[in-house]
Amino acid sequence: MSARDAKHEVRASALARRAAIGPEGRSVLAAALARHGVEAARRLAPQRPPIVSAFLPIRDEPDTRPLLAALAEAGFATALPVTPPRGEPLRFRAWRSGEPLAAGRFGTAEPAAAAPEVDPDLVVVPLAAFDGRGFRLGYGAGYYDGALERLRRLKPVFAIGVAFAAQEVDTVPTEPHDQRLDALVTEHGLMTFGPS
Ligand SMILES: Nc1nc2c(c(=O)[nH]1)N(C=O)[C@@H](CNc1ccc(C(=O)N[C@@H](CCC(=O)O)C(=O)O)cc1)CN2
Ligand SMILES: Nc1ncnc2c1ncn2[C@@H]1O[C@H](COP(=O)(O)OP(=O)(O)OP(=O)(O)O)[C@@H](O)[C@H]1O
């Protein structure tokens, strides 16, 4: 089977497990993400005040709104992805809760066109499936892989995935363009992935 077909199967079954998570697991993960996300931003702060990108949940993704609120409360600059046509890397624009949003591709909400573009230092990454090496699969457009590749050419960037523990698989099928996560938050806490 090609890596592409293998990814398709792994993605579909992990997304079905994510859809089955109940409200208690969802609120535990939202709180864990807020705590670990702010701690990760604080660890980066001595080098330079980090810009932190998160995302606004679609479908049954983890709730990132407590994280965005906690980051703003702690004084960190926050941002959201802006989805370009397929084949182009994601971009990011500054956004704080309460600021205007516009409809983006695939049912996403994104900062209004007037918000300044930024290059985040800490990227909170959505995903369909992950493995113990820190590899991940998204919805299959390669958007976060492209964005992380571009950002990592510019500067050190810390990528922190967020998922329910049930989305873990033994081995994510990988292709050369796949970008690894540095850490991941589940409802059980923070996992970090060492250098390969
Ligand atoms: N909340 C959230 N925001 C995000 C992402 C995300 O994964 N989650 N993205 C992460 O990249 C970008 C948006 N990318 C997305 C790419 C595909 C689909 C999606 O629903 N794909 C369909 C196929 C649709 C089609 O081909 O027309 C699918 O998976 O069934 C959604 C978001 C930026 N913003
Ligand atoms: N940098 C790249 N170079 C070559 N092909 C790419 C690249 N990025 C994505 N692709 C193509 O796009 C397809 C989707 O990539 P992949 O399945 O890794 O996306 P994903 O990790 O699920 O998505 P995302 O990163 O948006 O969450 C791949 O099968 C590949 O053919």
Side-chain angles (χ1 to χ4, degrees):
M1 203 194 304
S2 70
R4 218 187 153 111
D5 291 344
K7 283 183 172 184
H8 190 82
E9 287 187 10
V10 168
R11 179 180 293 121
S13 58
L15 286 175
R17 294 195 299 278
R18 185 180 78 184
I21 306 289
E24 179 166 347
R26 289 180 181 278
S27 66
V28 173
L29 178 52
L33 177 62
R35 184 159 71 81
H36 291 295
V38 169
E39 280 174 11
R42 289 207 169 108
R43 278 194 295 276
L44 296 180
Q47 273 74 48
R48 63 170 173 270
I51 298 171
V52 185
S53 73
F55 56 92
L56 288 175
I58 55 174
R59 308 192 199 169
D60 36 48
E61 288 178 340
D63 187 3
T64 50
R65 288 164 302 181
L67 168 68
L68 283 158
L71 287 166
E73 173 81 6
F76 293 108
T78 53
L80 292 176
V82 176
T83 310
R86 261 179 204 274
E88 294 175 29
L90 282 186
R91 296 289 171 154
F92 299 89
R93 286 197 208 124
W95 185 82
R96 287 169 67 106
S97 82
E99 290 182 357
L101 288 165
R105 289 186 165 78
F106 305 113
T108 59
E110 60 189 35
E117 184 169 342
V118 294
D119 288 323
D121 305 279
L122 173 57
V123 181
V124 178
V125 183
L127 57 95
F130 69 94
D131 70 18
R133 303 172 299 170
F135 281 107
R136 63 173 278 285
L137 277 184
Y139 292 126
Y143 282 130
Y144 270 94
D145 292 320
L148 290 172
E149 189 189 329
R150 184 182 75 80
L151 292 169
R152 283 171 167 160
R153 272 190 267 115
L154 297 178
K155 59 183 175 180
V157 167
F158 196 81
I160 181 161
V162 52
F164 298 98
Q167 291 171 253
E168 183 165 4
V169 298
D170 278 350
T171 309
V172 166
T174 52
E175 296 172 274
H177 68 261
D178 283 308
Q179 293 280 316
R180 238 159 45 101
L181 298 169
D182 298 292
L184 179 114
V185 181
T186 71
E187 66 276 36
H188 302 320
L190 182 78
M191 306 163 66
T192 53
F193 307 108
S196 45

